[in-house]
Structures are given as structure tokens and as C-alpha cells.
Amino acid sequence: GVDEELVQLNEDTLWSGIPGKYSVLNAKASLSMIREALFAEDYHRANELCKRLQGPFSQSYMPMGNLRIRFDGQAKPENYLRELDLSRAVATVRYESGKTKHKRTCFVSFPDNALVLEIASQGKGGLNLTASLDSVLRNSQKRVDACTIAMSGRAPVHVDPSYYQRDLVSYDDHEGMAFDVWLRVVAEGGQVSSTDGSLVIGNARSVVFFLVSATSFNGFDRSPGQDGLNSAEMAHASLESVSRKRVDAIRATHVKDHQALFDRCSLHLGATDVDDRPTDERLNAYTRDRDPRLAALLFQYGRYLMIASSRPGTQATNLQGIWNDLFRAPWSSNYTLNLNTPMNYWPAESANLPECHEPLFDLIEKLAATGRKVALDNYGCRGWTAHHNSDLWGLACAVGDYGNGNPRWSCWPMAGAWLATHLWEHYAFTQDRKFLAEKAYPLLKQSAKFYLDWLVPGRLDGQDYLVTAPATSPENSFVAPDGKPECVSIASTMDMAIIRELFADVALAAEILDVDRNFSSKVTKARDKLLPYQLGRDGRIQEWYKDFDEWERQHRHVSHLFGLHPGSQITSEGTPALFDAATKTLAVRGDEGVGCSLAWKVNLWARLLNGDRCLAIVHRMLRAVDGKNVDMLGDGGVYPNLVNGPPFQVDGNFGVTAGICEMLLQSHERTADSAHGEVNFILRLLPALPSAWKRGAVGGLVARGNFTVDMEWARGMLVKADIFSGSGKTCRIFSDRPLDVFLRGRRVPASYERNVLEFNTAAGKNYRIVPGSGS
């Protein structure tokens, strides 16, 4: 606004709750009864018994507060512009009021851990404004000195999810997360005064606000009230440090830090000129002009959001990222692990932001600690597990307020395996052997132990397999033989696909590290006994172990295609029958859905090598929504600032960025070279390029094997690709026409057989790929 500027404030450790207890009484004893009911095909009884596995709901990510700045004596504004510069991570407001030009510049510096807001005017008269802090959480405010005010507060120890029939909110004067916000102003000219609740500035030429915050969070397993850090001292120290620095120096450090990540990737689609129309106008016009530059902006916006919300040492990005402004946010703004949290990190490696992946690895370590007790106490299994929801405290059990949740989403102990595959992916992209040995493999191994124990023998269609029981396909239901909807069965396709992916990763990691041969052998043998993919009577991949009809044929989740994406089991060359079946499956599922569903479908159609279908869904994602009359599970789009909705959550933004990466570069197909203990990946250049993107260029995409790829294309065909080899691995490129390879202008020896170009690389060298004879 103009008369009042609102800056909404969050801190990523400000959650409700305290460390929890996730062991569920009678869960272990109920497991055998659930399995007995399932093998007797009594799905309704199994569904009811699964409620006995449920523990507490997750806690909620909380909004910290607001900085409000009220301006006095301004004439009617003209030429108003609000801008976010993605490349510099700086937000700017400009407008004219009478004969005075106003400018406000705001950024949040990761190196200095502070928000900096500059306000300046040119013309007659000075700045007259009042700044204040407030919060929907319990808080108190104080005057520190003439230029500084502070707000202290505490989060609840419990908040019910917004969708639950209760609306219980509990506070404890001695427990719960404490937080502190300190605000200091430095004014040029004029007068500054303060009260317990505000800073008052009169007749100043320019004003700079420094805002810092801290919480008492001291680890997921420590009470934030009894064993918490002193948030007031930390905030005070941060403020004293940053406010001594020159704003120009703070900004320069911030921009340099941000651009070190953001500038790694570039994408130009079609026209190279800049479209200066406001984003909301471009969005409204997109249905007519289909301007590819807006898709390129959406791609970079996802990268910007990841840099802004997930850096080494921060918490992993939740449903609303760091931008939640609601006390009871949709789905508690928590970690929803059956799609949304993994999707948040799909572009981390391929879009050249591997450092931003680290907070997810920290979350995995947290869940491995809490999930170890859940595995043992609730299921009698080794290793660790996690379910469909989690929070700051590492909740790892099935949620549902001890029996009040729906097993359709709560009965899903597969999150540990899905998350663990991200550890392997980080190694696959970076080839960081130390990471694989010291962090990834121990967590992968312990996850595999759980699923070795969780699997049970099952005889289906006269064959003996290993299956999961109970099993669900998030968050869908099937039509049971009695015609009613049920959700709990045996060996859902997603269960089998996730375990198959995990076991393959564990076996390959053990081989690379030359460790645990006996354990690796057990994992490989168990993988070979998993129930294989089943094709239904209409040629689609079945979602469940039997060819049940879906209760919701076009359900938003596409769980049974996990093996296509993000998994690597279904490929055009390796499994052509499954590839064709996956195409039929996705076509029937349809192209609509909420934002995260649309984003997943972009990635799936990219893996199916259908660029035009990908772009059709990107078109759907670029529909303008206003957030009014929101259907929580309605069709997705974006708000005028391009964030995914409704309701607002950021997974769709990250997912579509990953999908555009998949459209332009793929590297998931792999071959194991047992003789050398290595995994070789096959690159595909422009595998799902839409026909409408006739020309363009992309720089800085990353492929597995630690290859960084720049490409140019024209008339829908590759013109050239530059491939930088980070680790000196053999490079394999799938191409339906011959390619030539050059290093410093000299041809590199290469083979071209069965549509695969293969050549050796040296670490640190850049190789030019061009269409050629292949000789």
C-alpha cells in the first residue's frame, strides 16, 4: 500500500508445539489383525483397525508478526510500481505524490540474517511516518531506546489443524517456542522518537529500518521453553552487528550471496527482449498470447523461492514455505511427505542449487532419529520410518489424533523411503563420495532395514511375493467388491515402486563404497521378490494389487506412476510395455488438478517424452486465480505474484521448475558397471521440447554424473550443447541422430551405437556437442 506498508514477518523455526511422543499404544498388537483382515479381503475391517496406528496430529508453522509503516501527509499517488528483482532478490516500490518521488527498497540478507528496508523521497517536504510491530501470537512490546523497539512472544504448545472438527489452541506460560523481533531505525535528518509500541519519524530525508528476529529453538528433541536458547539475546546481538554496517555494504553482500546461486542457471524461450508489462497483466494475457517468456519467468521464480527459503542451516521448506501468514494455515503449513515436501526439492539438483537441498537432508536425519523409535515401538521393525505428515519436532508416526484420522492419508509408512532416495539423488548429481559414505548410505541402509522387516509374504495369482500390508495409494480410494469406497489394501503400486527404488539405491551405494555385501545381497533378493507392476484390463498400470476401479478416476495424486517419476524404473528403452501403459494411465488421469498435481504431471509427461502435453499443463498452471471462494482441492493456477494456489503453497512452483528441467534435460536412465563399482547415466538433450518453443537457450542445468549442460536450439532442433564434466565420468547421450564431440575445437573420439553417443571426459573440461556425422 501507499498510506500503510505491510511487511509480513516469518522465522522458519517458529512452530507450535514441543518435542512429542510418537509411540502408539496397541499399534504393534493391531498390526497382525490388520494383516489378517487384508488377506481375508475384509477391507472395511482393516480400514477401521488402521485407526489404531494413529498418533497425534502434526504441529503448525506459525506466522511471527507484521511490520506496519504508516505514512502521513501524502498526496494522491501516481505512477505506482511494485517490483521484485529475482536476480538481485530486492523488492522495490516507486510512486509519485504531488511533486515528491518516493522509493522503498527491501531485502532480506542471508549473510547478515536481517531484513533491511530503505525509504527515501526526492522533492519538497520530508518523510513523516510511524513504524510498529504486531503479531497474532501472544506478545508484548517494549521501547529499547529512542531508535529501537522490540516485540517478544510465544507460540502455542498445540494448534489443531484447520480441517479438524476441533479448533483447540493451547498456550503455556512456561513452554512453547519463544520469539523476539527487534527493529531499529536510522534516519537522515528530522527527528526520531519511540514508545513501547512504535517508532515515530518526522521530517526525515531518508530512513533505514533494520529488523532481526530469533526464536528459542534449540533442537527438535529439546523443550523450547525449558531448554531453549535466549532469543532476546540473539536478536539483540544480530541487530547490533548489522546496524553498524553501511547499507550499501549490506546490500552488496546480499546480492553477491544471492547471485552466486541464482546466476548459475539461465533460460530464454523465444524472444530475447524483456516484457515490461506488470506480471498480473502478462498473466491475464497469457491465455491469448501464450508468451513463452512467462514460462521462463515461472522457471526462475521457482529457483528464487528455493534460494529464499532453503539454505544450509535453515529448516526444510514446508507447505507454504517461509511465507505463511495464517494462524491456522491450510494443512498446518507442515511437512506433507506423501508428495509436497519431496516435490519442494525436485529442482534442487537439476536446477543447479544443490546447497539448497541440505535442509531436507537435515530433516531426514531428524526423522531417522524419531522414526527409529516409531519403527520399533509401533511396528516391531528395525531401522526408521516416517509417515505422511511431520513438523519441526520430527513427528514420524501415523497422524490422526489417536484414531480420528482417515487411513486414506494417515496409513502410509512410506515417507522414509521416498525421502531417502533424495540422498542417493544428491550423490548421483554431485558424485560426492564423501557425502555418500558419511551421510547418505547410513540413512539409506537404516531405511532399507525397516522395509525388509515391514514386507510380508503374500501369495497372489499363484505366485509368492513380498508385499506391504497395510498399503494405501495416497490419497485415493478403490471400489471394494461390495461397491463401497475403501483405501487400505495390500501392495499398492506406489509402495512397491518406492521400495524398489530404495533397494536399488542401497545396493548401488553399497557396491560403490564396497561395503555390506551380505546386506546388499539381502536387499537385492528382496527387491526381486517384490510384487511387479500389474496391467489392468484396459492396459493401464494398476494402482492397487488387484484391478480395482478407482473411486475417483481423475484423482489429484498420480501415486502409481512413482516409478516413472521421480523414480527411474519406467523408461522408453528399458521397459517399453510399461512406458506405453504409463502413457495410457496418465491420459486417463487427466490434465487438471491442484497446483502440486499439475506440477507432477508436467514431470510425468516430460518423462513420457511428450513436450506438447507438458506445455498444455504449464498453460493450466499459468491461469490467474484470486484466492476468493477457494476450493481447497480445486483446479490449480497462480496468484498475480505467480505463487501456486489455491490455496497458497509453494510445492507447485518448485514442481513446475523441476518439470521444465525435465523437458530440457533428463539423466535418470542408468546402467551399472559392476566391474568398476560405478553407475553410468544416459543424458537426453531436449527430450520433451514443445513444438511451440521453436528456439531458445538454457544454461547451467545439471545432469546426473556431475555434468553441467548449456544448450541452444532453433526450429525445434539442437544447435549445440556445451557439457562441463565435473567428475571426469564417461558421458553417454541418447540421440536419434549422430552427434560430434569437440574439446577446444578438436574432435574427441566417441562411439555411436544404438542411439547412444559415448565418450570419455576429463574432470574440469568443457565438451562441445553438435549435430554431425557421428563418424
Side-chain angles (χ1 to χ4, degrees), residues 53-167:
L53 307 179
Q54 295 172 359
F57 280 126
S58 73
Q59 290 302 318
S60 303
Y61 180 51
M62 297 274 93
M64 185 167 64
N66 301 296
L67 165 61
R68 300 182 190 274
I69 304 174
R70 295 184 299 278
F71 296 85
D72 298 325
Q74 294 191 126
K76 182 180 178 181
E78 296 178 332
N79 300 321
Y80 182 90
L81 175 67
R82 179 181 291 271
E83 175 186 82
L84 173 63
D85 185 336
L86 298 184
S87 68
R88 299 172 64 246
V90 174
T92 305
V93 173
R94 294 183 180 89
Y95 62 94
E96 297 173 9
S97 177
K99 295 183 179 181
T100 303
K101 294 182 178 181
H102 298 269
K103 181 179 180 181
R104 309 174 197 166
T105 304
C106 188
F107 60 91
V108 179
S109 170
F110 179 70
D112 282 299
N113 194 29
L115 180 150
V116 179
L117 174 60
E118 303 173 78
I119 303 174
S121 63
Q122 292 180 337
K124 293 183 179 181
L127 292 167
N128 298 282
L129 53 93
T130 302
S132 61
L133 299 168
D134 62 71
S135 176
V136 296
L137 305 181
R138 287 187 178 179
N139 70 90
S140 61
Q141 302 184 20
K142 69 176 182 179
R143 175 186 184 275
V144 178
D145 56 42
C147 300
T148 310
I149 59 174
M151 177 173 67
S152 298
R154 190 176 295 275
V157 293
H158 177 79
V159 176
D160 275 342
S162 60
Y163 54 81
Y164 193 40
Q165 57 265 36
R166 287 185 333 200
D167 58 355

Side-chain angles (χ1 to χ4, degrees), residues 138-208:
R138 287 187 178 179
N139 70 90
S140 61
Q141 302 184 20
K142 69 176 182 179
R143 175 186 184 275
V144 178
D145 56 42
C147 300
T148 310
I149 59 174
M151 177 173 67
S152 298
R154 190 176 295 275
V157 293
H158 177 79
V159 176
D160 275 342
S162 60
Y163 54 81
Y164 193 40
Q165 57 265 36
R166 287 185 333 200
D167 58 355
L168 178 64
V169 176
S170 302
Y171 279 94
D172 184 324
D173 291 338
H174 306 289
E175 191 52 279
M177 191 76 73
F179 67 94
D180 280 85
V181 184
W182 288 53
L183 177 68
R184 176 168 292 171
V185 64
V186 175
E188 182 182 349
Q191 305 83 37
V192 177
S193 62
S194 63
T195 68
D196 281 346
S198 63
L199 292 167
V200 181
I201 296 95
N203 201 32
R205 290 188 295 275
S206 65
V207 170
V208 178

Side-chain angles (χ1 to χ4, degrees), residues 624-667:
V625 298
D626 61 10
K628 298 177 182 178
N629 302 315
V630 170
D631 179 353
M632 295 282 277
L633 296 175
D635 292 335
V638 293
Y639 293 104
N641 63 352
L642 294 188
V643 294
N644 169 50
F648 158 54
Q649 54 191 62
V650 295
D651 44 25
N653 289 96
F654 296 129
V656 72
T657 293
I660 292 172
C661 289
E662 291 288 332
M663 293 164 68
L664 301 175
L665 176 66
Q666 293 178 16
S667 59

Side-chain angles (χ1 to χ4, degrees), residues 28 33 36 49 155 173 196 205 227 276 288 329 337 352 412 444 452 509 566 580 615 701 703 712 775:
K28 189 189 301 184
M33 291 187 287
E36 181 181 356
L49 287 170
D173 291 338
D196 281 346
R205 290 188 295 275
D227 302 313
D276 286 330
R288 302 186 303 274
L337 304 178
N352 213 335
W412 191 75
L444 283 161
L452 285 174
D580 291 342
L615 185 57
L701 296 184
E712 293 181 19
S775 59

Side-chain angles (χ1 to χ4, degrees), residues 89 273 293 296 428 444 522 542 552 682 738 757:
D273 59 312
R293 290 172 296 181
L444 283 161
K522 291 179 182 178
Q542 290 179 192
E552 189 177 345
I682 298 174
L757 174 77

Side-chain angles (χ1 to χ4, degrees), residues 17-19 154-155 157 172-178 215-219 222-230 393:
I18 58 177
R154 190 176 295 275
V157 293
D172 184 324
D173 291 338
H174 306 289
E175 191 52 279
M177 191 76 73
T215 75
S216 61
F217 181 66
N218 194 23
R222 294 188 179 184
S223 160
Q226 305 303 315
D227 302 313
L229 301 175
N230 189 319
W393 312 108

